[in-house]
Amino acid sequence: MCGITGYIGTGDCSTIVAQSLKNLEYRGYDSAGVALRNGSLEVYKQSGTIDDLTVPSMPSATCGIGHTRWSTHGAPTDENAHPHTDCTGQVAVVHNGIINNYEMFKNELCADHEFTSETDTEVIAHLIENALADTNDLREAVEQVVSMLKGSFAFAVTAVGHDGIVAARQDSPLVIGHSEDATFLGSDVTAFVEHTRTVTFLEDGDIAHLLEGDVTIVNGDKLVDRERQTIEWDADAAEKGGYEHYMRKEIHEQPRAVRQALSGRVDELAGTVDLDLSLSQEYCNSLDEIQIIACGTSYYAGLYAAELLEQYADVRVSVHIASEYEFRGDRDPWRTLVVAVTQSGETADTLRALRKAAGAGTRTLAVTNTVGSTIAREVDDTVYIRSGPEIGVAATKTFASQITTLTLVTIYLGRQRNALSSTEASNILEKLTAVPSAIQQVLDTESTVRRIAEEFADGDAFFFIGRRLGHPVALEGALKLKEISYDHAEGFPSGELKHGPLALVTDETPVVAILTEGTNADETLHNVKEVESRGAPTIGVTSATDPNPVFDTTLTVPKVGLMEPVVANVYLQLFAYHIAKRKGRSIDKPRNLAKSVTVE
Ligand code: F6R
């Protein structure tokens, strides 16, 4: 995830800004840069690591902004690195998030502004240049520009001839640090935690003017007074936003991750999605089959998507564990689309399967989190899931983002193939846009889930059951638990219990059942009774309004239609996390596992 930093004060500005970039390194990035202001503006930026970036000592500089970039618009190149400047080189901008309507502005501005990058950020610099010609007040210019932009973002600007830094927050975090002789800015407190622990968290819609030892914040047309807080976290905890583990932080980032996946891509009323795909209507209609290839959690996201694609895009779908994939010679490569689902974009098994398919002449599409990854570079089309970097080895937020993105792909194909009416598409989009707040409701019950996890932690083994869309979530729930707690956990389609696994069920084997929309809950309920009569403790994860008393414990899922199992999965993530924590496991780096599996 990109990181913003800023400093204004009497200290050694260039060293402080350069160090703050190092502090933000943990967020993941592929390029970095700073802009330092003395009388003029000096910009240093480049792709690669912060160690590759030379920021010269500049004792005359009193104000600076910096950035670590995780690519979303445009490859990780020197030109696309932030800060971005206007035509005069007097305005510098660093930015996180996505500007949905940047193309419209870029098209308009192109006539008399020269663009030097492929980023959405650069339009902000040019728009501020224009606004400054009107107002000559940096804060007012930023206010004007913010009112024109659509999307979820945070940015910071400094400009020659204007004091301080102006920062704007819209859906993407920003925090200000206060010390006696300086003011700091960061995407999180890690940016400056060694200098001050007195902070102000900005809220959505805030525009802050940072001066040395002074800050003014406006929201809309009101001056606002945000409370200063004292952070007790040490630098390690600060990197994790105060969470003890990246995994828990990333579980809690899911509402934002899902919002980012949807941002600027959906027209809920019209029932359409825009994914910038080059798949023509004729091609979509000619498709006989979609083959999804993936591993682990991404494979389960693929299983989920398969049911949606078959139902709403009316196309046959097969889902393959990438290491088992053989492109079948009896399929017509021209009528088959191969979709690689991969967080990292580097998984060797997925890459090999993809190359096999591409070698047979098949069209390929990647659904990935990683701009510039090998898989993103090798496919015909890519749709990014926009989760931001996931640092915990166990995938969490990317599962939710993958399913969200694959649902958008489903709607795109369904509309192209005339298999989905605009009304049906609108209904699905309405449910999708409700997912972030539904996930938040689940996250708000974390203390209850922790208590339940601690109660069941000593089970001999754990079984997760579900049907249809509940099945991939049962598999994912079991995978999460086994990965980080090292307990034996298995996921099954509920109907399979009686064909073997039931022999393992005792009063020491908790069974977690997914019973939401899209999971044939009534049928799973019969299976729950089967395990209960063998003494197994049961946990029902359900959206039923009158939960069946059959369960020992019930966790309630907000109603969001076919997305309910994704929301149910958040309970399973928290359940796994708290069991692993109780057992003192190495949660972010489980034994024997790697985040990016680049060997076959
Ligand atoms: C599980 C997990 C793995 C990955 C798998 C595929 O928590 O993280 O199962 O999902 O290794 O990785 P990507 O999605 O990067 O291809």
PDB file of all heavy atoms in Angstrom, residues 74-101:
ATOM      1  N   GLY A  74      -0.331   2.423 -13.896  1.00  0.00           N
ATOM      2  CA  GLY A  74       0.979   2.543 -14.525  1.00  0.00           C
ATOM      3  C   GLY A  74       2.012   1.691 -13.801  1.00  0.00           C
ATOM      4  O   GLY A  74       1.948   1.483 -12.582  1.00  0.00           O
ATOM      5  N   ALA A  75       2.962   1.205 -14.578  1.00  0.00           N
ATOM      6  CA  ALA A  75       3.983   0.285 -14.077  1.00  0.00           C
ATOM      7  C   ALA A  75       4.900   0.979 -13.068  1.00  0.00           C
ATOM      8  O   ALA A  75       4.930   2.211 -12.993  1.00  0.00           O
ATOM      9  CB  ALA A  75       4.789  -0.215 -15.267  1.00  0.00           C
ATOM     10  N   PRO A  76       5.653   0.196 -12.301  1.00  0.00           N
ATOM     11  CA  PRO A  76       6.587   0.792 -11.337  1.00  0.00           C
ATOM     12  C   PRO A  76       7.838   1.350 -12.007  1.00  0.00           C
ATOM     13  O   PRO A  76       8.884   0.718 -12.033  1.00  0.00           O
ATOM     14  CB  PRO A  76       6.919  -0.377 -10.399  1.00  0.00           C
ATOM     15  CG  PRO A  76       6.568  -1.614 -11.126  1.00  0.00           C
ATOM     16  CD  PRO A  76       5.570  -1.271 -12.177  1.00  0.00           C
ATOM     17  N   THR A  77       7.723   2.518 -12.618  1.00  0.00           N
ATOM     18  CA  THR A  77       8.856   3.138 -13.317  1.00  0.00           C
ATOM     19  C   THR A  77       9.274   4.422 -12.586  1.00  0.00           C
ATOM     20  O   THR A  77       8.531   4.925 -11.733  1.00  0.00           O
ATOM     21  CB  THR A  77       8.453   3.547 -14.749  1.00  0.00           C
ATOM     22  OG1 THR A  77       7.360   4.481 -14.635  1.00  0.00           O
ATOM     23  CG2 THR A  77       7.995   2.353 -15.569  1.00  0.00           C
ATOM     24  N   ASP A  78      10.419   4.976 -12.979  1.00  0.00           N
ATOM     25  CA  ASP A  78      10.869   6.248 -12.374  1.00  0.00           C
ATOM     26  C   ASP A  78       9.825   7.342 -12.625  1.00  0.00           C
ATOM     27  O   ASP A  78       9.515   8.141 -11.745  1.00  0.00           O
ATOM     28  CB  ASP A  78      12.195   6.713 -13.006  1.00  0.00           C
ATOM     29  CG  ASP A  78      13.345   5.781 -12.654  1.00  0.00           C
ATOM     30  OD1 ASP A  78      13.137   4.869 -11.831  1.00  0.00           O
ATOM     31  OD2 ASP A  78      14.442   5.959 -13.223  1.00  0.00           O
ATOM     32  N   GLU A  79       9.284   7.383 -13.856  1.00  0.00           N
ATOM     33  CA  GLU A  79       8.333   8.450 -14.223  1.00  0.00           C
ATOM     34  C   GLU A  79       7.058   8.369 -13.384  1.00  0.00           C
ATOM     35  O   GLU A  79       6.462   9.386 -13.037  1.00  0.00           O
ATOM     36  CB  GLU A  79       7.929   8.356 -15.705  1.00  0.00           C
ATOM     37  CG  GLU A  79       9.036   8.621 -16.704  1.00  0.00           C
ATOM     38  CD  GLU A  79      10.038   7.468 -16.786  1.00  0.00           C
ATOM     39  OE1 GLU A  79       9.646   6.312 -16.519  1.00  0.00           O
ATOM     40  OE2 GLU A  79      11.219   7.737 -17.084  1.00  0.00           O
ATOM     41  N   ASN A  80       6.630   7.136 -13.102  1.00  0.00           N
ATOM     42  CA  ASN A  80       5.370   6.982 -12.359  1.00  0.00           C
ATOM     43  C   ASN A  80       5.547   7.141 -10.853  1.00  0.00           C
ATOM     44  O   ASN A  80       4.561   7.221 -10.117  1.00  0.00           O
ATOM     45  CB  ASN A  80       4.735   5.624 -12.673  1.00  0.00           C
ATOM     46  CG  ASN A  80       4.198   5.567 -14.097  1.00  0.00           C
ATOM     47  OD1 ASN A  80       3.872   6.608 -14.670  1.00  0.00           O
ATOM     48  ND2 ASN A  80       4.108   4.382 -14.668  1.00  0.00           N
ATOM     49  N   ALA A  81       6.803   7.150 -10.383  1.00  0.00           N
ATOM     50  CA  ALA A  81       7.038   7.338  -8.943  1.00  0.00           C
ATOM     51  C   ALA A  81       6.559   8.726  -8.530  1.00  0.00           C
ATOM     52  O   ALA A  81       6.560   9.665  -9.327  1.00  0.00           O
ATOM     53  CB  ALA A  81       8.530   7.176  -8.639  1.00  0.00           C
ATOM     54  N   HIS A  82       6.130   8.841  -7.269  1.00  0.00           N
ATOM     55  CA  HIS A  82       5.717  10.143  -6.719  1.00  0.00           C
ATOM     56  C   HIS A  82       6.931  10.782  -6.042  1.00  0.00           C
ATOM     57  O   HIS A  82       7.834  10.071  -5.650  1.00  0.00           O
ATOM     58  CB  HIS A  82       4.631   9.967  -5.652  1.00  0.00           C
ATOM     59  CG  HIS A  82       3.385   9.317  -6.153  1.00  0.00           C
ATOM     60  ND1 HIS A  82       2.147   9.570  -5.620  1.00  0.00           N
ATOM     61  CD2 HIS A  82       3.174   8.398  -7.123  1.00  0.00           C
ATOM     62  CE1 HIS A  82       1.233   8.843  -6.234  1.00  0.00           C
ATOM     63  NE2 HIS A  82       1.835   8.112  -7.150  1.00  0.00           N
ATOM     64  N   PRO A  83       6.968  12.072  -5.815  1.00  0.00           N
ATOM     65  CA  PRO A  83       5.964  13.100  -6.075  1.00  0.00           C
ATOM     66  C   PRO A  83       5.807  13.404  -7.579  1.00  0.00           C
ATOM     67  O   PRO A  83       6.742  13.218  -8.357  1.00  0.00           O
ATOM     68  CB  PRO A  83       6.520  14.326  -5.358  1.00  0.00           C
ATOM     69  CG  PRO A  83       7.532  13.803  -4.396  1.00  0.00           C
ATOM     70  CD  PRO A  83       8.079  12.588  -4.999  1.00  0.00           C
ATOM     71  N   HIS A  84       4.588  13.897  -7.916  1.00  0.00           N
ATOM     72  CA  HIS A  84       4.336  14.390  -9.270  1.00  0.00           C
ATOM     73  C   HIS A  84       4.231  15.909  -9.209  1.00  0.00           C
ATOM     74  O   HIS A  84       3.762  16.469  -8.213  1.00  0.00           O
ATOM     75  CB  HIS A  84       3.057  13.765  -9.822  1.00  0.00           C
ATOM     76  CG  HIS A  84       3.275  12.318 -10.133  1.00  0.00           C
ATOM     77  ND1 HIS A  84       3.937  11.893 -11.252  1.00  0.00           N
ATOM     78  CD2 HIS A  84       2.973  11.212  -9.430  1.00  0.00           C
ATOM     79  CE1 HIS A  84       4.032  10.578 -11.242  1.00  0.00           C
ATOM     80  NE2 HIS A  84       3.462  10.134 -10.142  1.00  0.00           N
ATOM     81  N   THR A  85       4.659  16.534 -10.267  1.00  0.00           N
ATOM     82  CA  THR A  85       4.672  18.000 -10.276  1.00  0.00           C
ATOM     83  C   THR A  85       3.800  18.534 -11.402  1.00  0.00           C
ATOM     84  O   THR A  85       3.439  17.795 -12.332  1.00  0.00           O
ATOM     85  CB  THR A  85       6.112  18.524 -10.471  1.00  0.00           C
ATOM     86  OG1 THR A  85       6.677  17.845 -11.577  1.00  0.00           O
ATOM     87  CG2 THR A  85       6.963  18.279  -9.246  1.00  0.00           C
ATOM     88  N   ASP A  86       3.493  19.823 -11.331  1.00  0.00           N
ATOM     89  CA  ASP A  86       2.725  20.493 -12.391  1.00  0.00           C
ATOM     90  C   ASP A  86       3.705  20.929 -13.487  1.00  0.00           C
ATOM     91  O   ASP A  86       4.904  20.637 -13.424  1.00  0.00           O
ATOM     92  CB  ASP A  86       1.974  21.695 -11.798  1.00  0.00           C
ATOM     93  CG  ASP A  86       2.942  22.761 -11.306  1.00  0.00           C
ATOM     94  OD1 ASP A  86       4.107  22.409 -10.980  1.00  0.00           O
ATOM     95  OD2 ASP A  86       2.569  23.942 -11.262  1.00  0.00           O
ATOM     96  N   CYS A  87       3.205  21.669 -14.474  1.00  0.00           N
ATOM     97  CA  CYS A  87       4.065  22.082 -15.599  1.00  0.00           C
ATOM     98  C   CYS A  87       5.179  23.015 -15.146  1.00  0.00           C
ATOM     99  O   CYS A  87       6.271  23.008 -15.705  1.00  0.00           O
ATOM    100  CB  CYS A  87       3.246  22.822 -16.650  1.00  0.00           C
ATOM    101  SG  CYS A  87       1.971  21.818 -17.364  1.00  0.00           S
ATOM    102  N   THR A  88       4.891  23.838 -14.130  1.00  0.00           N
ATOM    103  CA  THR A  88       5.883  24.828 -13.710  1.00  0.00           C
ATOM    104  C   THR A  88       6.946  24.217 -12.810  1.00  0.00           C
ATOM    105  O   THR A  88       7.949  24.859 -12.520  1.00  0.00           O
ATOM    106  CB  THR A  88       5.194  25.967 -12.920  1.00  0.00           C
ATOM    107  OG1 THR A  88       4.645  25.388 -11.723  1.00  0.00           O
ATOM    108  CG2 THR A  88       4.088  26.621 -13.715  1.00  0.00           C
ATOM    109  N   GLY A  89       6.691  23.016 -12.303  1.00  0.00           N
ATOM    110  CA  GLY A  89       7.624  22.405 -11.363  1.00  0.00           C
ATOM    111  C   GLY A  89       7.563  23.070  -9.998  1.00  0.00           C
ATOM    112  O   GLY A  89       8.458  22.909  -9.167  1.00  0.00           O
ATOM    113  N   GLN A  90       6.485  23.815  -9.732  1.00  0.00           N
ATOM    114  CA  GLN A  90       6.369  24.554  -8.463  1.00  0.00           C
ATOM    115  C   GLN A  90       5.432  23.855  -7.473  1.00  0.00           C
ATOM    116  O   GLN A  90       5.374  24.221  -6.322  1.00  0.00           O
ATOM    117  CB  GLN A  90       5.788  25.956  -8.742  1.00  0.00           C
ATOM    118  CG  GLN A  90       6.526  26.732  -9.815  1.00  0.00           C
ATOM    119  CD  GLN A  90       7.550  27.656  -9.230  1.00  0.00           C
ATOM    120  OE1 GLN A  90       7.222  28.580  -8.510  1.00  0.00           O
ATOM    121  NE2 GLN A  90       8.805  27.402  -9.527  1.00  0.00           N
ATOM    122  N   VAL A  91       4.660  22.892  -7.978  1.00  0.00           N
ATOM    123  CA  VAL A  91       3.685  22.192  -7.126  1.00  0.00           C
ATOM    124  C   VAL A  91       4.057  20.714  -7.125  1.00  0.00           C
ATOM    125  O   VAL A  91       4.253  20.132  -8.195  1.00  0.00           O
ATOM    126  CB  VAL A  91       2.248  22.336  -7.700  1.00  0.00           C
ATOM    127  CG1 VAL A  91       1.242  21.535  -6.884  1.00  0.00           C
ATOM    128  CG2 VAL A  91       1.832  23.793  -7.791  1.00  0.00           C
ATOM    129  N   ALA A  92       4.161  20.111  -5.934  1.00  0.00           N
ATOM    130  CA  ALA A  92       4.472  18.675  -5.865  1.00  0.00           C
ATOM    131  C   ALA A  92       3.394  17.959  -5.046  1.00  0.00           C
ATOM    132  O   ALA A  92       2.939  18.476  -4.023  1.00  0.00           O
ATOM    133  CB  ALA A  92       5.832  18.458  -5.228  1.00  0.00           C
ATOM    134  N   VAL A  93       3.007  16.782  -5.531  1.00  0.00           N
ATOM    135  CA  VAL A  93       1.901  16.031  -4.912  1.00  0.00           C
ATOM    136  C   VAL A  93       2.325  14.590  -4.659  1.00  0.00           C
ATOM    137  O   VAL A  93       2.939  13.963  -5.527  1.00  0.00           O
ATOM    138  CB  VAL A  93       0.671  16.008  -5.851  1.00  0.00           C
ATOM    139  CG1 VAL A  93      -0.478  15.202  -5.243  1.00  0.00           C
ATOM    140  CG2 VAL A  93       0.203  17.402  -6.181  1.00  0.00           C
ATOM    141  N   VAL A  94       1.979  14.074  -3.491  1.00  0.00           N
ATOM    142  CA  VAL A  94       2.065  12.631  -3.243  1.00  0.00           C
ATOM    143  C   VAL A  94       0.660  12.148  -2.912  1.00  0.00           C
ATOM    144  O   VAL A  94      -0.108  12.876  -2.281  1.00  0.00           O
ATOM    145  CB  VAL A  94       3.046  12.297  -2.095  1.00  0.00           C
ATOM    146  CG1 VAL A  94       4.476  12.551  -2.516  1.00  0.00           C
ATOM    147  CG2 VAL A  94       2.714  13.057  -0.815  1.00  0.00           C
ATOM    148  N   HIS A  95       0.338  10.930  -3.310  1.00  0.00           N
ATOM    149  CA  HIS A  95      -1.066  10.511  -3.274  1.00  0.00           C
ATOM    150  C   HIS A  95      -1.197   9.008  -3.033  1.00  0.00           C
ATOM    151  O   HIS A  95      -0.423   8.217  -3.572  1.00  0.00           O
ATOM    152  CB  HIS A  95      -1.678  10.928  -4.640  1.00  0.00           C
ATOM    153  CG  HIS A  95      -2.875  10.163  -5.061  1.00  0.00           C
ATOM    154  ND1 HIS A  95      -2.986   9.558  -6.291  1.00  0.00           N
ATOM    155  CD2 HIS A  95      -4.031   9.886  -4.430  1.00  0.00           C
ATOM    156  CE1 HIS A  95      -4.148   8.963  -6.408  1.00  0.00           C
ATOM    157  NE2 HIS A  95      -4.800   9.140  -5.292  1.00  0.00           N
ATOM    158  N   ASN A  96      -2.172   8.642  -2.218  1.00  0.00           N
ATOM    159  CA  ASN A  96      -2.556   7.227  -2.028  1.00  0.00           C
ATOM    160  C   ASN A  96      -3.972   7.045  -2.533  1.00  0.00           C
ATOM    161  O   ASN A  96      -4.773   7.974  -2.420  1.00  0.00           O
ATOM    162  CB  ASN A  96      -2.601   6.869  -0.537  1.00  0.00           C
ATOM    163  CG  ASN A  96      -1.235   6.747   0.067  1.00  0.00           C
ATOM    164  OD1 ASN A  96      -0.237   6.915  -0.607  1.00  0.00           O
ATOM    165  ND2 ASN A  96      -1.202   6.472   1.366  1.00  0.00           N
ATOM    166  N   GLY A  97      -4.301   5.851  -2.991  1.00  0.00           N
ATOM    167  CA  GLY A  97      -5.685   5.569  -3.370  1.00  0.00           C
ATOM    168  C   GLY A  97      -5.912   5.770  -4.856  1.00  0.00           C
ATOM    169  O   GLY A  97      -4.965   5.767  -5.651  1.00  0.00           O
ATOM    170  N   ILE A  98      -7.163   5.966  -5.204  1.00  0.00           N
ATOM    171  CA  ILE A  98      -7.533   5.970  -6.619  1.00  0.00           C
ATOM    172  C   ILE A  98      -8.425   7.170  -6.926  1.00  0.00           C
ATOM    173  O   ILE A  98      -9.381   7.445  -6.200  1.00  0.00           O
ATOM    174  CB  ILE A  98      -8.295   4.665  -6.949  1.00  0.00           C
ATOM    175  CG1 ILE A  98      -7.360   3.461  -6.746  1.00  0.00           C
ATOM    176  CG2 ILE A  98      -8.835   4.664  -8.370  1.00  0.00           C
ATOM    177  CD1 ILE A  98      -8.067   2.151  -6.623  1.00  0.00           C
ATOM    178  N   ILE A  99      -8.090   7.896  -8.009  1.00  0.00           N
ATOM    179  CA  ILE A  99      -8.961   8.980  -8.496  1.00  0.00           C
ATOM    180  C   ILE A  99      -9.761   8.388  -9.658  1.00  0.00           C
ATOM    181  O   ILE A  99      -9.205   8.094 -10.722  1.00  0.00           O
ATOM    182  CB  ILE A  99      -8.122  10.181  -9.010  1.00  0.00           C
ATOM    183  CG1 ILE A  99      -7.073  10.618  -7.982  1.00  0.00           C
ATOM    184  CG2 ILE A  99      -9.026  11.339  -9.436  1.00  0.00           C
ATOM    185  CD1 ILE A  99      -7.594  11.240  -6.728  1.00  0.00           C
ATOM    186  N   ASN A 100     -11.049   8.195  -9.434  1.00  0.00           N
ATOM    187  CA  ASN A 100     -11.842   7.485 -10.457  1.00  0.00           C
ATOM    188  C   ASN A 100     -12.027   8.292 -11.737  1.00  0.00           C
ATOM    189  O   ASN A 100     -12.114   7.723 -12.825  1.00  0.00           O
ATOM    190  CB  ASN A 100     -13.229   7.146  -9.904  1.00  0.00           C
ATOM    191  CG  ASN A 100     -13.141   6.147  -8.774  1.00  0.00           C
ATOM    192  OD1 ASN A 100     -12.189   5.371  -8.727  1.00  0.00           O
ATOM    193  ND2 ASN A 100     -14.089   6.183  -7.863  1.00  0.00           N
ATOM    194  N   ASN A 101     -12.138   9.623 -11.600  1.00  0.00           N
ATOM    195  CA  ASN A 101     -12.449  10.422 -12.793  1.00  0.00           C
ATOM    196  C   ASN A 101     -11.210  11.126 -13.364  1.00  0.00           C
ATOM    197  O   ASN A 101     -11.336  12.145 -14.019  1.00  0.00           O
ATOM    198  CB  ASN A 101     -13.557  11.437 -12.490  1.00  0.00           C
ATOM    199  CG  ASN A 101     -13.238  12.316 -11.288  1.00  0.00           C
ATOM    200  OD1 ASN A 101     -12.306  12.026 -10.551  1.00  0.00           O
ATOM    201  ND2 ASN A 101     -13.999  13.376 -11.100  1.00  0.00           N
TER     202      ASN A 101
END
